[in-house]
Amino acid sequence: MIIGVGIDVAEIDRFGAALERTPALAGRLFIDRELWLPSGERRGTASLAARFAAKEALAKALGAPAGLLWTDAEVITEDSGRPRLRVTGTVAARAEQLGVRGWHVSLSHDAGVASAVVIAEG
């Protein structure tokens, strides 16, 4: 059963400018391991914008309640390259309240726009 669906887009250049203008923003939106690739290189702006879009889409799938923390949702990349969500704290509490048992997430970026779709499944 589908509990909720969320979709979001982020303009990559605008998102990158916000990160440059406000250096602490990355730490408020992402946990440290989301910022780095397995190789140790910093993740690119397009990838971070897609991850931010996923967090926005996740909030929408949960009904966009007040009080969710960005860092309580983590976008993980499996060895296969498939994105997956890990939720903790405020996000996990809301998901449990709604009966969410699993997540589906899709990320994309092209033509200057990053997008994400999240499905919360019960």
Side-chain angles (χ1 to χ4, degrees):
M1 170 171 89
I2 294 176
I3 304 288
V5 176
I7 186 169
D8 196 68
V9 298
E11 186 180 338
I12 295 168
D13 288 343
R14 184 175 175 198
F15 185 76
L19 290 175
E20 285 184 27
R21 188 173 55 252
T22 311
L25 182 60
R28 291 196 307 261
L29 298 177
F30 304 104
I31 65 169
D32 195 49
R33 67 179 161 251
E34 287 180 291
L35 297 172
W36 302 96
L37 295 168
S39 66
E41 293 178 71
R42 185 162 172 100
R43 192 173 294 280
T45 304
S47 178
L48 290 175
R51 281 161 168 69
F52 177 69
K55 292 177 185 224
E56 286 275 4
L58 169 66
K60 291 173 183 177
L62 293 176
L68 296 181
L69 299 176
W70 297 115
T71 53
D72 284 349
E74 177 186 2
V75 179
I76 298 167
T77 304
E78 295 179 349
D79 290 341
S80 66
R82 180 181 179 183
R84 184 170 58 86
L85 292 170
R86 176 183 294 153
V87 299
T88 59
T90 59
V91 176
R94 176 63 176 169
E96 183 177 348
Q97 183 183 49
L98 294 175
V100 176
R101 300 285 177 250
W103 303 98
H104 303 274
V105 60
S106 180
L107 309 176
S108 186
H109 45 81
D110 189 30
V113 176
S115 62
V117 175
V118 171
I119 299 171
E121 187 175 12

